[in-house]
Amino acid sequence: MKVGVVGLGAMGSGIAQLCVEAGLDTVGREVTADLGERARERIGHFLTRKVEKGKLESFDLALLTTTTELADLADCDLIIEAIVEELGPKQELFVELERICRPDAVLATNTSALSVTEIASATSSPERVVGMHFFNPAPLMPLVEIVRAELSSEAAFDAAYALGEKLGKHPIRCHDTPGFVVNRVLIPLLNDCVRVLDEARVSPEDLDAGMKHGAGWPMGPCELLDLVGIDVHVHASEALYDKLREPRMAAPPRLVAMANAGLYGRKSGRGFYTY
Ligand code: CAA
């Protein structure tokens, strides 16, 4: 089986890493050769660490080809899109993929807050479009949501589910509703956590300690927001608020201000914490 991954940022490179680890031929596409090379190095680094720690016997990085040409995805069985979280660019990409890829190839999107059905609607073969929503960091988080869009075929849905299993994930089946399953719950919850920061006049450190030691979270909400990216979270909150009109979905002003100031979290070196 050959898998294509379009976009090798945090999510895409994590997904490509899972494919290599599962022994699958993988083609990763980035806009520049340099970005592709950097993703390859990151993947090599994490897999080497896993071998050093005795969590993986060996891996073959040669399974991964990086390219800047979408045409190199022509013979892939399943392609996972992990580009910028905006409808227009995703729709344009799916139209291109439909033109380039085999007619039986499954086209999956890793979108977290956009509608898979809307992405599929730009193509003339929406039956082969599904959602495969991984969680950050993709190599470590066991879940993948397999999302059935309005016109997804059974065959495309089953192929995405089977790939999720092959990648060692725990797939769950869901429909194309705003936020799917986990973000529908997690996004308003994280927004509540940030509102509590001000209401309860608690520090990020204490809120994080509270949720870790009082609710068993593996990391506190502020740490988690810094990991996900404040900008990514604000963007997803706005997308869900647009669709559901529930006040809890709207990003608190404090997060919007942080995003506007470039305090994105780990990736920019500063968010709730400094890295
Ligand atoms: N890719 C691959 N490997 C990575 C990695 C990455 N991005 N980041 C870290 N690692 C590796 C590192 O090599 C590290 O090992 P070394 O430091 O020894 O090199 C190792 O993983 C860390 O593994 P551990 O098992 O020690 O880590 P941990 O026990 O601290 O768990 C965690 C880390 C799994 C992230 C845990 O803290 C956790 O579950 N946090 C919650 C994360 C979460 O909720 N994510 C969901 C975000 S929401 C989302 O993604 C939805 C959306 O649409 C935005």
Side-chain angles (χ1 to χ4, degrees):
M1 177 176 199
K2 193 164 184 176
V3 180
V5 182
V6 186
L8 297 174
M11 293 308 294
S13 67
I15 295 166
Q17 177 178 325
L18 287 165
C19 294
V20 170
E21 215 176 317
L24 302 176
D25 269 324
T26 310
V27 186
R29 190 263 187 172
E30 251 304 345
V31 285
T32 68
D34 184 47
L35 285 173
E37 197 41 47
R38 272 197 258 165
R40 190 187 185 76
E41 279 168 19
R42 218 162 43 238
I43 292 168
H45 162 80
F46 283 131
L47 289 177
T48 303
R49 281 292 299 153
K50 239 182 137 168
V51 170
E52 284 166 1
K53 289 190 285 185
K55 290 184 173 173
L56 180 69
E57 215 165 278
S58 63
F59 66 92
D60 180 7
L61 200 52
L63 287 170
L64 173 68
T65 313
T66 56
T67 179
T68 55
E69 300 296 326
L70 272 183
D72 290 336
L73 302 173
D75 58 346
C76 288
D77 301 288
L78 193 153
I79 294 94
I80 304 174
E81 166 276 315
I83 65 165
V84 60
E85 197 54 351
E86 283 171 29
L87 185 61
K90 286 197 197 282
Q91 286 183 326
E92 278 168 33
L93 175 66
F94 274 75
V95 168
E96 273 295 286
L97 289 175
E98 182 180 38
R99 196 176 58 75
I100 289 164
C101 300
R102 288 200 324 253
D104 62 331
V106 173
L107 307 180
T109 171
N110 178 54
T111 185
S112 52
L114 299 176
S115 156
V116 182
T117 305
E118 267 185 81
I119 294 170
S121 72
T123 71
S124 54
S125 50
E127 64 281 354
R128 59 164 150 161
V129 179
V130 294
M132 283 187 84
H133 181 221
F134 292 83
F135 290 76
N136 190 357
L140 304 184
M141 298 301 286
L143 185 70
V144 57
E145 292 173 326
I146 309 297
V147 186
R148 190 190 294 277
E150 284 308 306
L151 299 175
S152 302
S153 70
E154 217 52 52
F157 188 78
D158 291 348
Y161 190 95
L163 177 62
E165 284 185 319
K166 202 173 274 184
L167 298 182
K169 294 288 150 190
H170 185 133
I172 61 170
R173 300 172 178 86
C174 59
H175 284 264
D176 183 28
T177 52
F180 314 133
V181 176
V182 172
N183 277 345
R184 174 73 178 79
V185 175
L186 187 59
I187 286 184
L189 191 53
L190 289 173
N191 286 336
D192 282 347
C193 288
V194 174
R195 291 186 184 102
V196 167
L197 275 180
D198 297 321
E199 283 167 22
R201 284 174 280 170
V202 64
S203 65
E205 289 82 357
D206 280 355
L207 177 62
D208 281 353
M211 295 310 288
K212 278 192 288 195
H213 304 310
W217 287 26
M219 63 185 357
C222 299
E223 288 177 285
L224 181 55
L225 284 161
D226 275 358
L227 171 73
V228 167
I230 307 292
D231 55 330
V232 170
H233 175 83
V234 167
H235 195 70
S237 293
E238 282 168 355
L240 290 194
Y241 180 72
D242 278 348
K243 290 186 176 123
L244 296 164
R245 295 281 153 197
E246 289 180 21
R248 290 177 64 230
M249 294 292 173
R254 178 179 179 136
L255 283 185
V256 176
M258 287 174 75
N260 288 341
L263 303 178
Y264 299 148
R266 284 195 197 189
K267 66 183 168 194
S268 71
R270 219 177 121 194
F272 285 102
Y273 299 101
T274 301
Y275 299 89

